[in-house]
Amino acid sequence: QVQLVESGGGLVQAGGSLRLSCAASGRTFSTYTMGWFRQAPGKEREFVARISWSGKSTYYADSVAGRFTISRDNTKNTVYLQMNSLKPEDTAVYYCAADSPTKVGGWDYWGKGTLVTVSS
């Protein structure tokens, strides 16, 4: 079982930056693909970014590519999302997720989310 706890959300003006963190429990963090998702009010949850277990491979949604950067520190069991040039449409609850290499199917573990609000 893996527990994920997000932090770093808050209120920021358009054009500003925030860095989200996701701390994971367990000894197998370094084997997981990690991802960030978000859910805006009244909308479905959507994919934001993911990073491979080694950190060498990353992938972004078109809406955030070039503005957001996902990274990880396996020595700290933590994944990050650096968000720059924030826009009001980035306002959402941001969730961290983990995909175990030993389980079949989609993302296996989820955090409870952290709220990001971008004011215009």
Side-chain angles (χ1 to χ4, degrees):
Q1 188 72 12
V2 174
Q3 291 186 326
L4 304 174
V5 180
E6 303 94 337
S7 62
L11 175 63
V12 63
Q13 289 188 334
S17 298
L18 279 176
R19 189 176 81 155
L20 306 183
S21 299
C22 172
S25 65
R27 295 175 292 178
T28 55
F29 172 81
S30 62
T31 67
Y32 294 150
T33 294
M34 299 298 297
W36 286 97
F37 292 76
R38 68 186 181 184
Q39 187 168 19
K43 296 187 177 181
E44 293 186 352
R45 186 161 53 190
E46 64 176 2
F47 168 79
V48 174
R50 70 170 185 258
I51 187 167
S52 63
W53 65 271
S54 65
K56 293 181 179 180
S57 176
T58 59
Y59 183 76
Y60 299 91
D62 289 345
S63 58
V64 307
R67 298 188 298 123
F68 290 11
T69 302
I70 188 170
S71 62
R72 67 191 296 161
D73 186 339
N74 286 343
T75 66
K76 297 182 178 179
N77 278 17
T78 302
V79 63
Y80 305 97
L81 186 68
Q82 178 67 44
M83 306 186 295
N84 298 329
S85 303
L86 283 161
K87 304 175 182 179
E89 51 264 44
D90 293 318
T91 295
V93 177
Y94 283 72
Y95 298 90
C96 174
D99 183 13
S100 170
T102 63
K103 293 182 180 291
V104 177
W107 298 87
D108 302 296
Y109 304 103
W110 294 86
K112 294 183 178 181
T114 185
L115 177 63
V116 172
T117 303
V118 184
S119 64
S120 58

